[in-house]
Structure formats: C-alpha cells, structure tokens
Amino acid sequence: GNSVTQMEGPVTLSEEAFLTINCTYTATGYPSLFWYVQYPGEGLQLLLKATKADDKGSNKGFEATYRKETTSFHLEKGSVQVSDSAVYFCALLFNDYKLSFGAGTTVTVRA
Amino acid sequence: DTGVSQNPRHKITKRGQNVTFRCDPISEHNRLYWYRQTLGQGPEFLTYFQNEAQLEKSRLLSDRFSAERPKGSFSTLEIQRTEQGDSAMYLCASSARLQSTDTQYFGPGTRLTVL
C-alpha cells in the first residue's frame, strides 16, 4: 500500500543544533511528498513539499530532498530555534487527492 | 487571508448522542477533505468532496458517519449514536486543483470527547 514511516520521537535538542527527521515511503508510482508541522495549540501547517524525484523543498530554514533511489524524504534544519518545537508529520499524496501521514515526530528545542 | 475554519472547536457529548461538525473551506477551493486524528497518530483520511460530489469514503467511516457538502461550499460531518471510540480530533482540509499537485490546507480541527 501507500504509506510513510517516520522516525519515532520524541527528539530533544539544544538551540542551534542540527535536526534530522527520517522519513521513508512505500508507494506505487511517484507520489508527491510533504512535511506538515503542528505547533502547540495550532492546526496542521504545510512546511514544504516536493513533487518529483530529486526535487528539494525548502521553507523557514528546513529542507527535504525527494530521493527515489532510497524512497526517502528526510527533513533537515541546520540550526534549530526554540520556536521550532512542534510535531512534524511526513505525508505522501496518492490517487491525486489522498494524504497518507506518518505517526509524527515530536521535537523539543531547549534554550 | 481567510483559512479553513471549523466549528465547534471542542465538543463533549455523551455516548449515544448525535453530533455535527461544520467546515468552511478556503473560498473557491473546490476540493474538501475530512480526516481523523487520534492521540499520538497522524491524520487518517475519511472522505473527500469535489464540489458537491462525495467521491470517496474510507472504510473507517461506518454507517454512523455521514458527510455532506451542499452547493459545494461548506461541509458538515455528522456522527450518529456516538461511541467512546469516536473520540478524536476531526480535521477538515481544502484545496484547489490549479496545478498538477494539490496542496491541502488544514483547519484547526474539532476535538470530540465522548463520555
């Protein structure tokens, strides 16, 4: 089936540390891939996306590259801030309209 | 900028009661989706509308659940004879099929607690 598996949390980091959250997918065809973020007390927000192999999505200092050969879409940020504390969800879009989400990774950044 | 809105934000009900949630999508978005999110999990797809037509229902949606989107604008999700297992966050999203890939924009959700 079409699904994503993402790194389990929680992840706790110090400010300015490097963040990586692993995400791998299983899909038929070539789905679009997304990272959504859920800040405390808020709804899901799109963080970045990539629609084809080797595409790199980027936003707010976060990056993720669509790797077909490893079926991965890992999220990275070079220097995290306290304000990056949130739950991060990897997702793939299949059948043109259906999002399949990972379980989410909780990230806490300490000052 | 008006995003997706959902009402109510919180609903507490007793088992066996009926509840109805409303979603107002971003203006001119022709696609509307419902998802359910339980604690510690990612959202799961429930159903999808293109304009007023409901094009798919997940097997997660038992016959106690019904969704409508009259006139292709707002949508309602009704749960009849609620059960404790229905307790979850119900998320609505909308999108516009303008490019080859849809981007879904989510509302804040309605948190349902069934006692």
Side-chain angles (χ1 to χ4, degrees), chain A residues 3-36:
Chain A
S3 64
V4 296
T5 302
Q6 65 181 98
M7 188 173 80
E8 289 186 15
V11 175
T12 303
L13 302 166
S14 296
E15 215 166 17
E16 299 184 3
F18 184 85
L19 170 67
T20 298
I21 304 176
N22 290 339
C23 172
T24 57
Y25 68 89
T26 302
T28 52
Y30 303 102
S32 295
L33 300 171
F34 301 80
W35 278 100
Y36 280 84

Side-chain angles (χ1 to χ4, degrees), chain B residues 76-88:
Chain B
T76 57
L77 178 68
E78 180 183 15
I79 309 174
Q80 296 182 329
R81 305 181 304 280
T82 52
E83 302 173 356
Q84 289 185 326
D86 297 331
S87 295

Side-chain angles (χ1 to χ4, degrees), chain B residues 66-81:
Chain B
S66 62
E68 295 182 342
R69 193 183 183 198
K71 303 179 182 178
S73 56
F74 70 92
S75 176
T76 57
L77 178 68
E78 180 183 15
I79 309 174
Q80 296 182 329
R81 305 181 304 280

